[in-house]
Amino acid sequence: MDKIAFFDTKPYDKIYFDALKEQYGIEIEYFESKLSPRTAVMAKGTRAVCAFVNDDIGKETISALKENGIDMIAMRCAGYNNVDLSAADGVISVARVPEYSTHAIAEHALALLLTLVRKTHKAYIRTRDSNFSLNGFVGFDLHGKTLGVIGTGKIGATFIEIGRGLGMNVIAYDPFPSLGYLEYVPLEELFARSDVISLHCPLTSSTYHIINDYSINQMKDKVIILNTSRGALIDTEALINGIKSGKIGGAGLDVYEEESEFFYEDLSESILKDDVLSRLIMMPNVLITSHQAFLTREALECIAHTTLGNLRSFFDGEPLVNEIKKRK
Ligand code: NAI
């Protein structure tokens, strides 16, 4: 059987990959460590590795993988901003899962939004303590409000449907408009008109810190910002300043720009070493989840199928339909 090394393994990964590995004829050696220049050697004896969003797949890791005989990186995620594609070009194949469940991510964005607006996270804690007071729980109707979506690809389009279902007026910005029925507006106009802004664009040099001091200044007072894409789309210091000044009414964040050291780990017994993250967590109108938008049964099953399918094609020497960079 063809063998792979699987990095940053969590119990839920094993359930879905173990259920399908024999069907694809692939043996998996699981490692809890993240893939990095130091851990790449653990893959020796295999020809491919499976990696995830917070693995360090820079130049050094890629050359360490090559030195140990690895020819393929199978990303079990859609985003690949953590892979140095220039270093991979012509050296190692990189494939990904371009789509698994757009609903998983869009519905998580909805969960963040409804929780922030109706404060159900606080109500849950209050009623468990037999405190049935409603003070401080006044929310607002989403119906009739304006939702601004940045990035109208697969996930953005699904979130737009959800927003329309709620009776929101949806506007969007995307340099490549694709939804004929939708009102696309320049970014500045989206900032000025939206009551809720949701980020669904990839992290690139042009979207890095797309939410910053300047853009926040252009926004409506009490705007709600949702980020289920990538942390570095938001300048976190600017976000904190916007929340402190009262300009931003709430932030629902599934991602954080410095998340790789913290997210997915149980650090409940230690002191959090990131002051910025600590400040965000303490803010009453900020809701942080640990990059979990993808975590549904449907999405995990689809991720396992596509990733193992990508690996099977690689081992069989077939064209890699989900390849990001070709190995020459
Ligand atoms: P997609 O590729 O279908 O859509 C991305 C859209 O962003 C495209 O329409 C593209 O034209 C647009 N775009 C590109 N540059 C832009 C810019 N400068 N400003 C505005 N829009 C721009 O991607 P998909 O599948 O919808 O995923 C979106 C993002 O969601 C991914 O890049 C990934 O970072 C994130 N994601 C997060 C997950 C989570 O668990 N939190 C899981 C899966 C994806």
Side-chain angles (χ1 to χ4, degrees):
M1 242 195 256
D2 297 299
K3 188 174 168 187
I4 66 158
F6 194 106
F7 286 88
D8 202 9
T9 310
K10 299 289 181 252
Y12 46 81
D13 292 318
K14 283 185 80 170
I15 293 169
Y16 289 88
F17 277 82
D18 279 349
L20 294 171
K21 63 186 182 187
E22 273 172 37
Q23 183 183 325
Y24 285 90
I26 289 173
E27 185 187 340
I28 304 177
E29 187 167 4
Y30 291 106
F31 297 107
E32 286 183 15
S33 324
K34 287 194 174 66
L35 178 57
S36 70
R38 208 162 54 82
T39 60
V41 66
M42 290 154 80
K44 199 176 173 76
T46 71
R47 277 190 60 219
V49 297
C50 182
F52 198 47
V53 289
N54 287 327
D55 288 309
D56 166 2
I57 314 174
K59 198 175 170 184
E60 266 190 86
T61 303
I62 289 169
S63 79
L65 287 172
K66 279 306 286 184
E67 274 167 30
N68 286 285
I70 314 302
D71 289 323
M72 190 211 181
I73 301 168
M75 300 298 293
R76 54 181 190 281
C77 49
Y80 49 88
N81 52 285
N82 56 329
V83 183
D84 183 338
L85 289 181
S86 324
D89 191 21
V91 172
I92 198 162
S93 291
V94 185
R96 66 170 180 143
V97 183
E99 182 174 0
Y100 37 92
S101 170
T102 59
H103 301 286
I105 293 85
E107 289 172 16
H108 191 76
L110 173 66
L112 294 174
L113 176 59
L114 287 174
T115 309
L116 281 171
V117 171
R118 303 308 299 269
K119 308 179 200 308
T120 43
H121 55 317
K122 294 184 186 179
Y124 171 76
I125 292 167
R126 219 182 257 188
T127 52
R128 279 169 68 95
D129 201 24
S130 303
N131 177 352
F132 302 107
S133 155
L134 297 182
N135 293 336
F137 282 176
V138 178
F140 63 86
D141 291 1
L142 289 167
H143 187 271
K145 298 292 187 304
T146 298
L147 168 64
V149 173
I150 301 180
T152 61
K154 295 179 284 296
I155 296 168
T158 306
F159 193 61
I160 286 165
E161 272 181 52
I162 290 174
R164 286 158 69 100
L166 291 168
M168 299 186 79
N169 306 313
V170 185
I171 58 176
Y173 169 75
D174 192 309
F176 308 100
S178 57
L179 305 173
Y181 61 84
L182 193 66
E183 183 187 356
Y184 283 94
V185 296
L187 205 47
E188 296 71 27
E189 189 177 334
L190 183 143
F191 291 142
R193 284 176 55 192
S194 301
D195 299 291
V196 176
I197 295 173
S198 196
L199 301 173
H200 298 289
C201 53
L203 176 61
T204 63
S205 51
S206 63
T207 59
Y208 176 78
H209 284 185
I210 196 167
I211 303 296
N212 52 42
D213 282 322
Y214 180 71
S215 52
I216 290 170
N217 267 333
Q218 299 170 54
M219 293 176 194
K220 274 186 162 176
D221 288 345
K222 301 285 170 212
V223 62
I224 303 267
I225 297 178
L226 305 172
N227 188 5
T228 53
S229 279
R230 285 293 180 266
L233 295 175
I234 297 182
D235 175 346
T236 315
E237 285 291 351
L239 182 79
I240 289 175
N241 290 335
I243 294 166
K244 277 167 67 184
S245 72
K247 179 79 177 170
I248 296 172
L253 311 173
D254 187 48
V255 285
Y256 165 59
E257 49 182 336
E258 304 298 335
E259 71 181 44
S260 58
E261 210 183 311
F262 309 103
F263 282 18
Y264 302 127
E265 307 303 328
D266 178 0
L267 303 174
S268 55
E269 297 295 316
S270 51
I271 304 293
L272 195 54
K273 291 194 183 73
D274 184 315
D275 292 347
V276 177
L277 183 57
S278 300
R279 269 161 91 198
L280 275 177
I281 289 170
M282 293 308 290
M283 290 177 152
N285 51 353
V286 174
L287 186 57
I288 297 185
T289 52
S290 179
H291 207 141
Q292 74 172 69
F294 72 100
L295 202 65
T296 67
R297 290 194 298 266
E298 292 77 3
L300 287 169
E301 194 174 331
C302 184
I303 287 169
H305 262 300
T306 307
T307 307
L308 290 167
N310 289 342
L311 285 157
R312 190 68 266 148
S313 301
F314 167 75
F315 285 121
D316 291 348
E318 287 170 4
L320 278 179
V321 285
N322 297 318
E323 187 162 41
I324 313 168
K325 255 318 181 208
K326 279 197 171 61
R327 181 167 49 93
K328 287 177 187 147

